[in-house]
Amino acid sequence: MMRRLGWNLVVGRREPGWRALSTEIARVAALSADRLATHRAQVLREHLRWAATTIPFHKARVGPDAPLGAFPILDRSTLQQEGESLRDPTRPVEALHAETSGGSTGEPVKLWNDAAYAASTFATEVYVLSTWGLKPWCRRAYLWGDDREQKDIGWKERIARRIHGDLFLNAFEMDDARMASFADRIDAFRPALVQGYATALDLFASFLLREKRRVTRPVAVRSSAEALPDEARARVESAFGAPVRDFYGSRESSSLAAQCAHGGFHVLAHGRLIELVDDAGNAVEPGVPGRVLVTDWTNRAFGLIRYANGDVASWSTDRTPCPCGSAYPRLERVFGRTSDFLTTPAGERIHGEWFTHLFYGKDGVERFQVHQKALNVVEVSTVGPAGFAIVEPLLFRMRTRLGRGVTVTWKTVPSIPLTRSGKHRFTISDVPYLGGRS
């Protein structure tokens, strides 16, 4: 009761209007397939008209009644170059929130959202948790990028976290001793939900299985930020004794898709439209991997329409209705995004997101890649005009973090090669991880 009261007083008051939005989301999610299609077509048509008549980038390219397919596909370079022309010019910048995304692509971009977007994101979170049998005020343990967040939060947020009582475990510092401490803290905290980067959850689960260590069983484990391979999912579920629920999103557009309690990987279609297309921009068939294009109509600060976020996914081939009752379209799999851990000479594993966070908002860095070629050799490549004054402080932090004896070098390059699947890997490690400390 006290936890629920504290959540409502501190957390629930951050996003006014979320209760009504959450009720509306549940209503839309319960619509039949035909009614859902009609509803989405109406909302999309209105949103496209708004973009075509308000957003300078789109006004210059499409007419007021243009269908979705007439809008150009946006990529990260477009957002980098045309970001200001995608912002709603009728609203003062002071009323908007700037979001910088380094993401798993290593290509920083800046975009805008507003209070309505934040409330919708919050309400969607509440809705998804409810489908997992969880209350929004449930106990949560986060295996996340804790060091940056703990450093940057203000005193109000610190008080809120203390009242709400969430447990934060630093995914940027994961050696065996720390993971043993994580297990102890989870046992003491008894969370209903464990949430973390996919690769961090897998690393922790591998440690638990190797050490034959059991922890308090949560209701669910939430995997985010990266794709979770089937073998890794099996390890996480075995280690925690609980189902893994994928939650797919990004900084550019949060809450894209989530698994229901029956395993259906549903696009959260009350606020987003996802297209899966081939290299020519044509829709792909179910089961066939395609580029993810995102249209987000919850964000009226920025014209994010048909945005290619760099991921690859496929539609489900299962045509039968999902047992959960929702007619939201289902994904079969999201193939991107993946991160490598880098290994220090001391045996510590550093999550790839730690390096991504270093580059957030850094001027002149269009793309980057951190490549660990040997245990004591790391090479950083950047694309863009960023000079020594911008990059050297980042290299210093890397050298400090990786430890003595590790050489970190930097070079500027005209481009960074993609993988065979067309993905950009922002961290690569050639050093195998064998468990324990070296």
Side-chain angles (χ1 to χ4, degrees):
M1 179 64 71
M2 289 300 296
R3 185 174 182 82
R4 177 178 180 177
L5 177 62
W7 186 90
N8 280 292
L9 289 175
V10 178
V11 182
R13 296 178 69 178
R14 293 177 185 166
E15 310 297 345
W18 70 266
R19 293 181 187 277
L21 284 170
S22 186
T23 299
E24 174 62 11
I25 289 170
R27 184 192 71 80
V28 174
L31 293 175
S32 67
D34 290 343
R35 290 188 175 183
L36 177 64
T38 300
H39 169 79
R40 280 163 50 82
Q42 179 180 349
V43 173
L44 176 63
R45 184 166 53 251
E46 193 275 330
H47 184 71
L48 295 181
R49 170 171 278 274
W50 164 81
T53 57
T54 307
I55 301 298
F57 179 89
H58 296 306
K59 285 176 68 175
R61 290 165 175 81
V62 297
D65 297 314
L68 180 65
F71 283 74
I73 293 176
L74 306 177
D75 57 19
R76 297 184 73 85
S77 63
T78 306
L79 263 60
Q80 288 176 317
Q81 298 166 14
E82 304 283 352
E84 285 304 303
S85 67
L86 284 162
R87 178 174 58 83
D88 184 351
T90 68
R91 303 172 64 182
V93 173
E94 295 76 16
L96 308 179
H97 171 72
E99 184 71 73
T100 301
S101 169
S104 60
T105 64
E107 299 174 310
V109 298
K110 182 179 181 181
L111 61 160
W112 303 84
N113 54 50
D114 59 11
Y117 171 87
S120 177
T121 299
F122 189 84
T124 297
E125 169 89 5
V126 172
Y127 163 74
V128 171
L129 288 180
S130 72
T131 69
W132 296 350
L134 293 167
K135 300 296 185 182
W137 49 82
C138 69
R139 290 179 179 270
R140 307 187 203 188
Y142 293 88
L143 193 55
W144 212 248
D146 187 57
D147 61 347
R148 187 182 93 146
E149 295 198 9
Q150 290 291 348
K151 177 182 177 180
D152 293 344
I153 62 175
W155 65 271
K156 291 183 179 180
E157 177 66 14
R158 291 182 184 276
I159 293 175
R161 287 187 176 186
R162 182 175 294 275
I163 293 174
H164 192 217
D166 290 333
L167 174 64
F168 287 87
L169 306 171
N170 195 345
F172 292 163
E173 297 181 354
M174 293 183 68
D175 55 22
D176 283 7
R178 288 187 177 93
M179 287 191 284
S181 173
F182 290 174
D184 291 339
R185 294 172 68 186
I186 287 174
D187 278 339
F189 187 67
R190 304 179 68 82
L193 178 67
V194 174
Q195 176 177 337
Y197 300 131
T199 45
L201 289 170
D202 184 29
L203 182 63
F204 185 42
S206 297
F207 166 81
L208 294 175
L209 294 173
R210 186 178 73 244
E211 298 297 318
K212 297 180 172 57
R213 172 66 191 269
R214 306 299 299 181
V215 294
T216 301
R217 179 179 179 178
V219 173
V221 178
R222 172 173 164 173
S223 173
S224 301
E226 305 150 289
L228 187 67
D230 291 341
E231 62 274 15
R233 178 184 299 273
R235 284 191 293 269
V236 174
E237 291 186 338
S238 176
F240 285 96
V244 171
R245 304 296 183 208
D246 286 333
F247 200 107
Y248 173 44
S250 66
R251 284 184 179 266
E252 297 95 338
S253 181
S254 61
S255 309
L256 294 175
Q259 281 187 305
C260 69
H262 296 271
F265 200 1
H266 295 272
V267 173
L268 296 170
H270 51 269
R272 280 90 170 142
L273 174 75
I274 284 182
E275 300 172 77
L276 301 182
V277 302
D278 59 21
D279 289 340
N282 300 314
V284 298
E285 295 295 322
V288 177
R291 292 190 299 154
V292 176
L293 305 184
V294 178
T295 297
D296 186 341
W297 56 68
T298 69
N299 187 356
R300 283 297 180 93
F302 197 77
L304 200 70
I305 295 173
R306 308 198 78 201
Y307 169 57
N309 67 2
D311 289 340
V312 175
S314 60
W315 292 117
S316 173
T317 56
D318 186 356
R319 302 298 181 90
T320 62
C322 185
C324 76
S326 175
Y328 281 1
R330 285 174 286 175
L331 297 171
E332 184 173 88
R333 182 180 176 187
V334 177
F335 296 89
R337 297 155 283 173
T338 58
S339 299
D340 277 349
F341 283 85
L342 270 65
T343 303
T344 71
E348 182 183 353
R349 298 283 278 169
I350 303 177
H351 194 280
E353 288 282 341
W354 186 85
F355 298 92
T356 299
H357 284 193
L358 289 182
F359 285 90
Y360 278 160
K362 295 298 182 293
D363 292 335
V365 179
E366 297 172 4
R367 300 180 79 181
F368 78 90
Q369 187 174 81
V370 179
H371 187 175
Q372 183 174 33
K373 296 189 171 183
L375 189 61
N376 60 348
V377 177
V378 173
E379 184 178 273
V380 179
S381 301
T382 63
V383 176
F388 185 82
I390 296 293
V391 179
E392 176 55 20
L394 310 183
L395 301 179
F396 176 79
R397 290 186 64 184
M398 290 183 201
R399 295 183 185 112
T400 302
R401 189 73 173 80
L402 290 164
R404 290 184 178 181
V406 178
T407 300
V408 181
T409 59
W410 165 58
K411 64 179 180 180
T412 58
V413 294
S415 62
I416 295 175
L418 301 178
T419 66
R420 290 183 179 180
S421 61
K423 303 296 291 182
H424 173 75
R425 296 175 65 188
F426 68 97
T427 56
I428 301 174
S429 178
D430 298 336
V431 179
Y433 181 61
L434 304 177
R437 302 179 69 87
S438 56

